[in-house]
Amino acid sequence: VIENMNRIANREVRNIFPRIYERSVFCLVLPGDSPSQKRFFDVIMMGCIPVVLSFESSEGGGGEHDYDGKTTSWYSPDSYGIVDSYPWAKGSNSTYPHLEIDYRSFVVEVPASEGNVSMVKPVLEGLMKNASEIYRRQVALREHALAFSYGLGDDGTDELSSSSSSSSSSSLDAFARILESLRFYLSRL
């Protein structure tokens, strides 16, 4: 009986977060055990705008900089930047340019130092005063959400059989994007 109660309780806890994410506009994604953590992609898939701590990073993946000319990490000051940590990031040169994802178009970055979260509230309060900016971020998020799922929507065969330059970036799921990235890589050999 106790074992069944624990199993039911664990199932209920697992189901709480997706419901919270779906009902929220912003979801705080604090650094976890790796730079690109599952929680980040979970909130995107639920339509919630990720709010991350942003650190100036000393790492840059061999001198590479993020697409804004700086090296910024959403993990820690000593971690790799966005371009080296997130799939298909704008400026990563890992896929065709039209398939790159501008994460900053939808992610809310909160300046932080050594994990200080004191700026989260003022940043979000400022953003809440600008409904058009929130809407713009939600639209950008929806444009890229399918890129982080496997097998949702169409099977992707139409996109894969067409030339990569005509593929709609918002219609490719993660598997199709991986194939396009391989095609891009092979085209550069």
Side-chain angles (χ1 to χ4, degrees):
V1 173
I2 292 175
E3 196 173 303
N4 279 342
M5 288 174 53
N6 285 337
R7 198 173 307 135
I8 291 168
N10 287 337
R11 191 176 326 126
E12 289 299 314
V13 168
R14 281 193 307 266
N15 292 330
I16 288 172
F17 287 105
R19 288 191 301 246
I20 291 171
Y21 294 159
E22 286 176 337
R23 295 177 186 162
S24 300
V25 174
F26 302 106
C27 291
L28 187 59
V29 181
L30 294 173
D33 58 354
S34 67
S36 59
Q37 55 207 316
K38 181 181 178 297
R39 178 173 55 256
F40 179 82
F41 302 105
D42 286 345
V43 300
I44 291 172
M45 292 297 301
M46 295 295 168
C48 190
I49 297 171
V51 178
V52 300
L53 298 181
S54 178
F55 304 90
E56 282 191 33
S57 178
S58 58
E59 293 290 332
E64 295 294 321
H65 295 288
D66 290 336
Y67 49 89
D68 65 354
K70 297 184 274 183
T71 300
T72 303
S73 171
W74 293 339
Y75 181 59
S76 76
D78 300 322
S79 183
Y80 288 102
I82 300 163
V83 166
D84 296 319
S85 299
Y86 293 88
W88 311 294
K90 181 178 175 183
S92 66
N93 206 21
S94 64
T95 191
Y96 296 103
H98 70 280
L99 293 177
E100 290 183 329
I101 296 173
D102 181 0
Y103 287 95
R104 288 190 165 134
S105 69
F106 57 88
V107 172
V108 175
E109 295 181 87
V110 177
S113 60
E114 302 303 320
N116 185 349
V117 297
S118 64
M119 293 299 297
V120 172
K121 184 178 178 188
V123 167
L124 290 180
E125 285 174 340
L127 193 53
M128 291 296 288
K129 295 175 184 174
N130 190 343
S132 62
E133 176 62 14
I134 293 170
Y135 179 74
R136 185 198 64 74
R137 288 176 188 264
Q138 288 173 322
V139 168
L141 183 136
R142 275 194 299 271
E143 180 182 330
H144 298 296
L146 184 61
F148 307 111
S149 67
Y150 290 89
L152 295 178
D154 294 336
D155 64 5
T157 54
D158 293 337
E159 289 87 357
L160 291 175
S161 62
S162 66
S163 73
S164 60
S165 62
S166 65
S167 296
S168 169
S169 63
S170 62
S171 66
L172 298 178
D173 74 350
F175 184 73
R177 279 180 175 262
I178 290 168
L179 293 178
E180 287 297 314
S181 293
L182 287 171
R183 183 180 292 162
F184 176 74
Y185 174 78
L186 292 172
S187 73
R188 299 177 69 204
L189 292 178

